[in-house]
Amino acid sequence: MQFTINQLAELLGGEVIGNGEAKVNNIGPLDKAGPGTISFLHNPKYEPQLYTTKAEAVIVNRKLQLKEPIEPVLIAVEDPYSSLTVLLEQYQKLTESAKEGVEEPAFLGEGAEVGNSVYRGAFSYIGKNTTIGNNVKIYPNAYIGDNAKIGDNSIIFAGVKIYSGCIIGNNCVIHAGAVIGSDGFGFAPQEDGSYQAIPQVGIVILEDHVRVGANTTIDCGTLEATVIRSGVKLDNLIQIAHNVEIGENTAVAAQAGISGSAKIGKNCIIAGQAGITGHLAIADRVTIGAQAGIPKSVTKEGSILLGSPAIDIMNFKRSFTHFKNLPDMAGRINDLEKKVLNLPPSEK
Amino acid sequence: MQFTINQLAELLGGEVIGNGEAKVNNIGPLDKAGPGTISFLHNPKYEPQLYTTKAEAVIVNRKLQLKEPIEPVLIAVEDPYSSLTVLLEQYQKLTESAKEGVEEPAFLGEGAEVGNSVYRGAFSYIGKNTTIGNNVKIYPNAYIGDNAKIGDNSIIFAGVKIYSGCIIGNNCVIHAGAVIGSDGFGFAPQEDGSYQAIPQVGIVILEDHVRVGANTTIDCGTLEATVIRSGVKLDNLIQIAHNVEIGENTAVAAQAGISGSAKIGKNCIIAGQAGITGHLAIADRVTIGAQAGIPKSVTKEGSILLGSPAIDIMNFKRSFTHFKNLPDMAGRINDLEKKVLNLPPSEK
Amino acid sequence: MQFTINQLAELLGGEVIGNGEAKVNNIGPLDKAGPGTISFLHNPKYEPQLYTTKAEAVIVNRKLQLKEPIEPVLIAVEDPYSSLTVLLEQYQKLTESAKEGVEEPAFLGEGAEVGNSVYRGAFSYIGKNTTIGNNVKIYPNAYIGDNAKIGDNSIIFAGVKIYSGCIIGNNCVIHAGAVIGSDGFGFAPQEDGSYQAIPQVGIVILEDHVRVGANTTIDCGTLEATVIRSGVKLDNLIQIAHNVEIGENTAVAAQAGISGSAKIGKNCIIAGQAGITGHLAIADRVTIGAQAGIPKSVTKEGSILLGSPAIDIMNFKRSFTHFKNLPDMAGRINDLEKKVLNLPPSEK
């Protein structure tokens, strides 16, 4: 599979600067690309690599002002990152063979219904009365309980566990080892100090285009559903507790945790290892920094928070600057006290 | 399945306020309940919903003083949360069919012994000489190694991995993807900078009524056992390192981590994302706040700690209040210095 | 299996102090050891246990100066921890039966090649054209995709998931539930607020002697490979994002997270729950403390960092000491202000 740069530029709606007839057959990062490889520049931080790269061609932003002469041919586009996506999708289609059909042994429970063009890997399990849509891929060792529902075009990777009754929408991707629908952590303390488990009879609903990362866990609701709205993207090793609701197109990075009954708005960004307390609400378009801890509701849309407990990011940064200088500050207070102590007594 | 409110009140030992002959057939939260649904009020924060709910009936605390007229019938009980538990247990019994028997193919190693009324799901694995008690449920794709032991009435959900030799007590629940008995992280540094693994020949012991959350990991002891005492409740994605001991009825929330050889007391509460250093001891009834980091032993029973490194929660909160004001504090020191500098020289 | 202390001392190259003809048949910790058990003292913190232990024999450091008379026979060695390792390895060899052969049903894809003396557990899956080296152990319910490669002597524990195309070196150990090669978390934001997934067409490469803990996740590279160099030791529940590179012999403790495209040096130590931002570089031999958050590159070799955001550990400790005293510091500023306010007006 070899393409001219002109062909790719046409696919991407980009403008060629240099020899459009040069050929590429591979995609790679700037610092490792060689002849025949097309690369891209998205993060300005890596611009210096543009002047040293051995790549055949580089996709760049239309607005880029070159600071030095360069070797590779350029394809200037509106958004290099989106263009890369388009290229990679084509690349993936050409290089990956589509899985379809059943590898035996695979388990299909009584009353289960399976759509067309479905892949069911070896040792995959589909429980009773569960419905699987069209073009679904269920990889080996995945488990889907009874009375569950998987929408069209969704991909369930190896070893995913989906508890009975859960509902997965269309075009969802669930990565290996993720657990959907485990019991919420709800217990009634008893007088003797022990705990009585509160039965968790709810489910999990994933709407469409939801992405769940590897080994992420999403607990079922106590009575109703834990709901992950359309377009939500969850990274790996995230904990979503019972009765949580996450609004459309919110993205959550790895190892973040959201406690029970929290309601997260739309288009939020929650960075890695952040933690959100239960029974609170986060407004739309809120950004929560890495390792931040959110102790209470965030009502202002578009807030950016950092720290544990979290406060406005600018305030956090200002306070943290002084935190680093605390030994100095303490010394200055000592000096002031010595000086003031040695002053003549106040008149009063 | 439909019940009169009088019937439910009798089951719960509660007092009916309103029309006890009204019928309910469902359980749901206050803000989503409609006709025919029974709901409950436990957290006072949600009391306003009591005055707007469309629920047919609501379970409330005996001591509740109504602030406004209400629509639903009330069932007044000592503890609404426990009453909910009772109702949900009945609901679960009525709606869930009990799993029993063997789904083929399921693997049973030589010399393994399986009790009565056991469920062994498809693709579940039981190793050599392993003993499974009565009424145990082993879901699909679960793995139990050789020479292990599972007590009566325990539930091993899909894809759980239990290493050889581990001992699980009676009435335990282990959620999907949890790993019990993986090697502890023990390495002897070598002169060339590499690490030599210390063989971990111990096991994990879960006593009775232990609950392990989804994708939680519990490492085996180096020589003896990592021990989780009766009644301990572990949430999802928790790390328990080798040689740890957790005392009775301690509850640990999601994504917390306990390092090697730490000894945790009874009836402690460890909140989400907290971390505990190795080789230390935590007294009974200690509460460790979310994201706290415990660097050394906690000897005082009932302590409540917060921060990283953690200190007494009241001290942390006081210090944090000032942390937020550090820019102001720095400004005041600047002002003081200017004033003091402009004072007449001290007499001395 | 019973040995004289003299026999063990010879194995360890140690010197016997006491009756070398006494016999031992077990290994255990000082505080729980009894007659017939050999124990060891490595951490000086536990020296008091040496004077009360019931152990038959104890392995100690050659340089140990006894403070009291003791009961057990001693074996004095250069490094008790390494000696314990040697003993445990022998113990493990004697007590564990080696797994070999195939337990049916196990899946072997078309074109896959399997070496000699391999164990393939029941319900394990090996995809098309995948190559498995000699003496490899693949435990039940493990999944290895297509076109992957596993080197000699590696152990893949139960329920591990290795995506297509990934390369695992020789002598690697991957613990239960770990996921190798899941898609990186890369999305191009769209104008309507939704995200377009960037296809991740890269792989994961584990070099030799790499250890991956239970339920740890390692994402594949976007274009090329996420690379874990020889001798790296990863604990449980760690997140390694796409395009990360970890240098030789670096050790990472449980629940730490490394964001996309970060490049970690050799011989680093990353403690539990630490988080490292993406697109940065960490120098060799850097130590990152528990729960620390690394916001930018660390260029100085051997740095030790703590805090979130992390700073030099000594600076962090000094600042934290003052943080705890902030209420006092605020009070002193108040006092100073009162005094200075009551002073006669400055001359100027």
Side-chain angles (χ1 to χ4, degrees):
Chain A
M1 290 160 302
Q2 187 161 282
F3 305 89
T4 65
I5 294 170
N6 280 335
Q7 284 174 316
L8 298 181
E10 198 178 327
L11 173 72
L12 304 175
E15 180 195 352
V16 175
I17 303 165
N19 173 19
E21 288 309 308
K23 293 193 169 66
V24 295
N25 59 12
N26 195 9
I27 310 179
L30 280 173
D31 58 340
K32 292 178 182 165
T37 295
I38 184 164
S39 191
F40 74 110
L41 173 63
H42 166 63
N43 188 336
K45 177 176 161 181
Y46 295 119
E47 187 179 330
Q49 295 181 0
L50 183 63
Y51 307 111
T52 58
T53 185
K54 306 290 184 211
E56 195 76 47
V58 182
I59 303 168
V60 297
N61 195 299
R62 253 184 235 292
K63 294 174 191 151
L64 177 73
Q65 305 275 356
L66 287 177
K67 299 193 184 65
E68 298 177 28
I70 57 160
E71 292 280 338
V73 180
L74 298 184
I75 301 179
V77 299
E78 198 61 40
D79 177 355
Y81 207 48
S82 289
S83 293
L84 174 69
T85 307
V86 173
L87 269 197
L88 284 174
E89 278 172 351
Q90 296 302 320
Y91 184 85
Q92 201 169 35
K93 274 185 197 159
L94 291 167
T95 57
E96 275 207 354
S97 66
K99 299 269 182 195
E100 203 179 310
V102 182
E103 292 167 349
E104 293 293 352
F107 188 93
L108 191 64
E110 211 178 315
E113 288 177 28
V114 176
N116 298 320
S117 305
V118 166
Y119 167 58
R120 294 197 287 125
F123 319 125
S124 66
Y125 183 101
I126 296 172
K128 292 178 196 164
N129 303 316
T130 282
T131 308
I132 309 290
N134 297 321
N135 304 312
V136 169
K137 290 180 176 52
I138 300 171
Y139 277 75
N141 301 95
Y143 162 84
I144 302 167
D146 302 339
N147 306 305
K149 190 173 182 315
I150 314 285
D152 294 342
N153 311 314
S154 287
I155 302 176
I156 313 295
F157 277 105
V160 164
K161 275 77 69 175
I162 299 174
Y163 280 57
S164 294
C166 291
I167 297 171
I168 311 296
N170 301 317
N171 302 297
C172 290
V173 176
I174 305 182
H175 276 282
V179 175
I180 314 282
S182 39
D183 282 1
F185 196 62
F187 296 92
Q190 306 297 296
E191 284 192 6
D192 65 354
S194 70
Y195 291 97
Q196 170 80 6
I198 313 277
Q200 307 283 314
V201 304
I203 60 169
V204 173
I205 297 173
L206 265 56
E207 293 187 350
D208 300 338
H209 295 283
V210 172
R211 190 267 200 196
V212 179
N215 284 348
T216 279
T217 58
I218 306 178
D219 283 348
C220 70
T222 307
L223 300 173
E224 301 214 322
T226 301
V227 182
I228 314 295
R229 298 271 175 224
S230 287
V232 168
K233 308 299 178 192
L234 304 177
D235 200 351
N236 299 344
L237 292 168
I238 289 168
Q239 154 72 354
I240 308 289
H242 53 177
N243 308 315
V244 163
E245 180 181 336
I246 304 186
E248 287 173 28
N249 297 325
T250 280
V252 185
Q255 297 177 319
I258 302 179
S259 304
S261 302
K263 193 172 182 313
I264 313 297
K266 301 175 191 177
N267 301 101
C268 293
I269 293 175
I270 301 176
Q273 298 183 337
I276 297 177
T277 299
H279 295 272
L280 55 66
I282 307 286
D284 296 344
R285 293 181 297 104
V286 167
T287 298
I288 295 172
Q291 299 188 328
I294 307 297
K296 58 180 186 196
S297 288
V298 178
T299 53
K300 194 183 158 198
E301 291 194 13
S303 304
I304 308 180
L305 302 166
L306 193 59
S308 175
I311 57 178
D312 173 83
I313 190 170
M314 294 313 298
N315 292 338
F316 178 85
K317 288 188 170 177
R318 272 191 285 264
S319 281
F320 192 78
T321 300
H322 293 293
F323 171 82
K324 289 189 287 186
N325 289 328
L326 276 178
D328 173 61
M329 200 182 278
R332 287 160 67 194
I333 295 174
N334 282 344
D335 289 350
L336 280 165
E337 283 174 336
K338 276 183 210 150
K339 281 183 189 154
V340 171
L341 212 66
N342 289 335
L343 289 172
S346 96
E347 299 205 331
K348 198 166 167 218
Chain B
M1 289 163 300
Q2 187 161 278
F3 305 89
T4 66
I5 294 171
N6 281 335
Q7 285 173 315
L8 297 181
E10 198 179 325
L11 173 72
L12 303 175
E15 181 194 353
V16 175
I17 301 162
N19 173 21
E21 289 310 307
K23 292 194 170 64
V24 295
N25 60 12
N26 196 8
I27 311 180
L30 281 172
D31 58 340
K32 293 180 184 165
T37 295
I38 184 165
S39 191
F40 74 109
L41 173 63
H42 166 63
N43 187 336
K45 177 176 162 182
Y46 295 118
E47 188 179 330
Q49 295 181 359
L50 183 63
Y51 306 112
T52 58
T53 185
K54 306 291 185 211
E56 194 78 47
V58 182
I59 304 168
V60 297
N61 195 300
R62 254 185 234 290
K63 293 174 192 151
L64 176 74
Q65 305 275 356
L66 288 177
K67 299 194 183 63
E68 299 177 27
I70 58 162
E71 293 280 340
V73 182
L74 299 184
I75 302 180
V77 299
E78 199 61 40
D79 177 356
Y81 206 48
S82 289
S83 293
L84 173 70
T85 307
V86 172
L87 269 196
L88 284 174
E89 278 171 352
Q90 296 301 319
Y91 184 85
Q92 200 170 34
K93 274 184 196 161
L94 291 167
T95 56
E96 273 207 355
S97 66
K99 299 270 181 193
E100 204 180 307
V102 181
E103 292 167 350
E104 293 294 352
F107 188 92
L108 191 64
E110 210 179 315
E113 288 177 27
V114 176
N116 299 319
S117 305
V118 166
Y119 167 57
R120 294 196 288 125
F123 319 126
S124 65
Y125 183 100
I126 295 173
K128 292 179 195 164
N129 303 315
T130 281
T131 308
I132 308 291
N134 296 320
N135 305 311
V136 169
K137 289 181 178 54
I138 299 171
Y139 277 75
N141 302 96
Y143 162 83
I144 302 168
D146 302 338
N147 306 306
K149 190 174 183 312
I150 312 285
D152 294 343
N153 310 314
S154 287
I155 302 176
I156 312 297
F157 276 104
V160 164
K161 276 77 71 176
I162 299 174
Y163 279 57
S164 294
C166 291
I167 298 171
I168 311 296
N170 301 315
N171 301 297
C172 289
V173 176
I174 305 181
H175 276 283
V179 175
I180 314 281
S182 39
D183 283 1
F185 196 63
F187 296 92
Q190 306 296 297
E191 284 192 7
D192 65 354
S194 71
Y195 291 98
Q196 169 80 4
I198 312 277
Q200 307 283 315
V201 303
I203 59 169
V204 173
I205 298 173
L206 265 55
E207 293 188 349
D208 300 338
H209 296 282
V210 171
R211 190 267 199 198
V212 178
N215 284 349
T216 279
T217 58
I218 307 179
D219 283 347
C220 70
T222 307
L223 301 173
E224 302 214 321
T226 300
V227 182
I228 314 294
R229 300 268 176 227
S230 287
V232 167
K233 307 300 179 193
L234 304 177
D235 200 349
N236 299 346
L237 292 169
I238 289 168
Q239 153 73 352
I240 309 289
H242 53 175
N243 309 314
V244 162
E245 180 181 337
I246 303 185
E248 288 172 27
N249 297 324
T250 280
V252 185
Q255 297 177 319
I258 303 179
S259 305
S261 302
K263 192 172 184 309
I264 313 296
K266 302 176 190 175
N267 301 100
C268 293
I269 293 175
I270 300 175
Q273 298 183 337
I276 297 178
T277 299
H279 295 272
L280 55 66
I282 307 286
D284 296 344
R285 295 182 295 105
V286 166
T287 298
I288 295 171
Q291 299 187 329
I294 307 296
K296 57 182 186 194
S297 289
V298 178
T299 53
K300 194 183 157 198
E301 291 193 13
S303 304
I304 307 180
L305 301 165
L306 193 60
S308 176
I311 57 178
D312 173 82
I313 190 171
M314 294 313 298
N315 293 338
F316 179 84
K317 287 187 170 177
R318 272 192 284 262
S319 281
F320 192 78
T321 300
H322 293 293
F323 171 82
K324 289 189 286 185
N325 289 329
L326 276 178
D328 173 61
M329 201 182 276
R332 287 159 68 194
I333 294 174
N334 283 344
D335 289 349
L336 280 165
E337 283 174 337
K338 278 182 208 151
K339 280 184 190 156
V340 170
L341 212 65
N342 289 335
L343 287 174
S346 96
E347 300 207 329
K348 197 169 165 217
Chain C
M1 290 162 302
Q2 185 161 283
F3 305 89
T4 66
I5 294 171
N6 281 334
Q7 284 174 315
L8 298 181
E10 198 180 326
L11 173 72
L12 303 176
E15 181 193 352
V16 175
I17 302 163
N19 173 19
E21 289 309 308
K23 291 193 169 65
V24 295
N25 59 12
N26 197 7
I27 310 179
L30 281 172
D31 60 340
K32 290 179 183 165
T37 295
I38 184 165
S39 191
F40 74 110
L41 172 63
H42 166 64
N43 187 334
K45 179 176 161 181
Y46 294 119
E47 187 179 331
Q49 295 181 358
L50 182 64
Y51 307 112
T52 57
T53 184
K54 305 292 184 211
E56 195 77 46
V58 182
I59 303 169
V60 297
N61 193 300
R62 251 184 237 291
K63 293 175 190 152
L64 176 74
Q65 305 276 357
L66 289 177
K67 300 194 181 64
E68 297 178 29
I70 57 161
E71 292 280 338
V73 181
L74 298 184
I75 301 180
V77 299
E78 198 61 39
D79 178 354
Y81 206 48
S82 289
S83 293
L84 173 70
T85 308
V86 173
L87 269 196
L88 284 174
E89 279 172 351
Q90 296 302 320
Y91 184 86
Q92 201 170 33
K93 275 186 197 160
L94 291 167
T95 56
E96 274 206 354
S97 67
K99 299 270 182 194
E100 204 180 306
V102 181
E103 291 168 350
E104 292 294 350
F107 187 93
L108 191 65
E110 210 180 315
E113 288 177 28
V114 176
N116 298 319
S117 305
V118 165
Y119 167 57
R120 294 197 288 125
F123 318 126
S124 65
Y125 183 100
I126 295 172
K128 290 177 196 166
N129 303 317
T130 282
T131 308
I132 309 289
N134 297 320
N135 304 310
V136 168
K137 289 181 177 55
I138 300 171
Y139 277 75
N141 303 94
Y143 162 82
I144 302 167
D146 302 340
N147 306 307
K149 190 174 183 313
I150 313 284
D152 295 342
N153 310 313
S154 287
I155 302 176
I156 312 297
F157 276 104
V160 164
K161 276 78 70 176
I162 299 174
Y163 279 57
S164 294
C166 291
I167 297 171
I168 311 295
N170 301 315
N171 300 297
C172 290
V173 176
I174 305 181
H175 276 283
V179 175
I180 314 282
S182 38
D183 282 1
F185 196 62
F187 296 92
Q190 306 297 296
E191 284 192 7
D192 65 354
S194 71
Y195 291 98
Q196 169 81 5
I198 312 275
Q200 307 283 314
V201 303
I203 59 168
V204 174
I205 297 172
L206 265 54
E207 294 188 347
D208 300 337
H209 295 283
V210 171
R211 190 268 199 197
V212 179
N215 283 349
T216 279
T217 58
I218 306 178
D219 282 349
C220 71
T222 307
L223 300 173
E224 302 215 322
T226 301
V227 182
I228 315 293
R229 299 268 175 227
S230 288
V232 167
K233 307 299 178 191
L234 304 177
D235 201 351
N236 299 344
L237 292 168
I238 290 167
Q239 154 72 353
I240 309 289
H242 54 176
N243 309 316
V244 163
E245 179 181 336
I246 304 185
E248 288 173 28
N249 297 324
T250 280
V252 184
Q255 297 176 318
I258 302 179
S259 304
S261 302
K263 192 171 183 311
I264 313 296
K266 301 176 189 175
N267 301 100
C268 293
I269 293 175
I270 301 176
Q273 298 183 336
I276 297 178
T277 298
H279 296 272
L280 55 66
I282 307 286
D284 296 344
R285 292 180 299 104
V286 166
T287 298
I288 295 172
Q291 299 188 328
I294 307 297
K296 58 180 185 193
S297 288
V298 178
T299 52
K300 195 183 155 199
E301 291 195 14
S303 304
I304 307 180
L305 302 166
L306 193 60
S308 176
I311 56 178
D312 173 83
I313 190 171
M314 294 312 298
N315 292 339
F316 179 84
K317 287 188 170 177
R318 272 191 285 265
S319 281
F320 191 78
T321 300
H322 293 292
F323 171 83
K324 289 190 287 185
N325 290 329
L326 277 178
D328 173 61
M329 200 182 279
R332 288 160 67 193
I333 294 173
N334 283 343
D335 289 350
L336 280 166
E337 283 173 337
K338 277 183 209 152
K339 281 185 189 153
V340 170
L341 213 66
N342 289 335
L343 287 174
S346 98
E347 300 204 329
K348 195 161 170 226

